[in-house]
Amino acid sequence: MKNGSAFTTGRLGTSRNPVNVKYAVAPKLEAELLLLNAYTEVDMAHTVMLAEQGVLTDAQARGILLGIREIAALGDGEFPVETERGSVLLQVEHFLAERIGHDMAGRMHTGRSRNDQQEAANRVLVRDRLLEVAEAMLRLQDAVLDLALEHADTVMPGYTHLQHAQPTTLGHYVMRHYYPFERDQQRLEGAFTRTNLNALGGAACVGTTWPVDRHRTAELMGHDGLVVHATDAGVFARDYPAENAALLSILVNDVGRLAGDLYVWSTWEFGMIEVDDGMANTSSIMPQKKNPEALERVRGLSGIAVGWLPAVLGALRSATSSDLELAFGPDPTQEMIDSTIAVLELTRESLETTTFNTDVMRDRVEVNWTTATSLADELVRGSGLSFRAAHQVVGRLVRNSVSEGVPPSDVTSEMVVAAADEIGISMAISQDRVSRSLDPSAFLGSLSTVGSANPAEVRRMVADGRELQAAHRAWVEETQAGLARARGKLRSAVDSYLSVPAGSDHGSRRPASSEILAGSGVRRENA
């Protein structure tokens, strides 16, 4: 059979249009080859299961597994490929056929279609890569917690609408980002569970008459369970790529907000941080420039991530999976995961190498009325005003002080009373109460609610974060250990067939029914 094309020649003949090969076959094959290791893992599990079920003889299983293991041992780019032959399934079948013959090579596909084989490989690769994202997220969260604890007392202005709002601390600011990251970590773990399911056994769309043991292949591939419905298990009904696209988009945009703030703070006008030289670039013409290159990359990727979900949803509406595969590869998550890990690592490294100009932060918080709300609260508590009335008094005080060039530190009780008189409110307040209310550190120390910027509360939140980190890290480690155990089982199962001398019976698999054997054309040894 030319080019090992037994699969296609029965219906289509032996030739393929070169335009079709160049623009449809080749791009898809190139993308599929990125999953070659996952394909070999799936092929091994399926072959072992078929042998255990008596669908394959020991000799057949041994020949197929020897060939697959040879493929798995090849390095990147060493697996021989002929583009005209088509998908990875056909490339692998041809590779095996040259070693064990076409008839035996073709038996590996008994009881499955290209759909569930490809979907199984997708899920194996994506679940492994989601764990990479979870680990990178944990590293970033560790950096956030370290920074928050170090700067729990570092006073700085808080911003809303890019304007000074109220005093906060640098520690409280970075903890603001920790909690969205925590929710991202929760979403990652949930998505992993829904991705790590066995799709083998759906066959084309309705299942198969062969005694395929889906639970056994799930065990050998380390899956948490099955995609139960036969059609749902194929490429035509999958929704987990959309879920993964959504969670990765949310995650990258959560991180992008932090990077966007640091980007602004690095400007001369803000001057609150100094980006490390190694995380920056310069201009080709302006020698004074120090551009925050790493932060710019994160901001750019967070913008691109906005389009991930709609692009995947649009491609998933196609009648086939081809649009999705040609746009993103065999699974659309791969490119997104690469970008997500880049965002996480660049942001973590930026946090760990950036110099935070704490003196500048302290100076800024004292000059632009960030404690105005504190003074209004004091008027409510000590002078009997409603908050709305106190808001008006302090608003007038700020207006008067700004016009007269008086900073908050020089405000007197007489100025507060005069502002109240201007809007028809009679009140009294001591200088001590005014000065204490307008002091940023005193304000922070007076905060009493859960989640506030009080340095003691920031430290409590960091401790809480450490506990959450420990739980997530334990989940990652336990999950990785479970996958390692499954791969060990698969390796042992394959070894057990490879260690059986040719012509002898393995003797450990479950016998298939005589009806199945009679209809399969498989002659079981020693039967």
Side-chain angles (χ1 to χ4, degrees), residues 56 72 81 109 135 150 161 174 201 250 276 281 301 330 410 429 501:
L56 296 179
V81 171
H109 304 300
E135 288 184 295
E150 179 184 356
H161 302 273
V174 293
I250 294 170
D276 184 75
N281 202 346
L301 288 172
D410 292 342
I429 186 171

Side-chain angles (χ1 to χ4, degrees), residues 12 16-17 142 202 211 215 248 307 331 397 452 469-470 495 501 519 525:
L12 303 178
R16 302 186 86 158
N17 188 299
D142 285 341
H215 293 286
L248 293 173
D331 187 277
L397 170 69
S452 73
Q469 289 289 95
D495 288 343
E525 298 163 348

Side-chain angles (χ1 to χ4, degrees), residues 446-462:
S446 69
L447 297 171
S448 59
T449 52
V450 173
S452 73
N454 187 312
E457 178 61 9
V458 172
R459 293 187 182 91
R460 188 203 64 76
M461 286 188 285
V462 171

Side-chain angles (χ1 to χ4, degrees), residues 322-368:
S322 298
D323 292 340
L324 191 65
E325 291 161 1
L326 292 178
F328 297 101
D331 187 277
T333 315
Q334 296 309 310
E335 184 178 339
M336 300 173 196
I337 287 177
D338 289 339
S339 295
T340 299
I341 292 175
V343 163
L344 292 169
E345 290 297 308
L346 286 170
T347 305
R348 176 197 55 76
E349 190 69 17
S350 294
L351 287 179
E352 293 178 348
T353 59
T354 289
T355 299
F356 291 87
N357 299 327
T358 57
D359 290 342
V360 173
M361 292 178 178
R362 176 76 199 198
D363 290 343
R364 297 286 168 78
V365 80
E366 293 180 340
V367 299
N368 199 26

Side-chain angles (χ1 to χ4, degrees), residues 41 47 97 109 121 140 163 189 197 205 218 286 345 355 374 428 444 474:
E41 192 170 334
T47 301
H109 304 300
L140 173 58
Q163 305 295 317
E189 293 177 13
L197 298 173
C205 60
M286 296 170 282
E345 290 297 308
T355 299
S374 176
L444 290 168

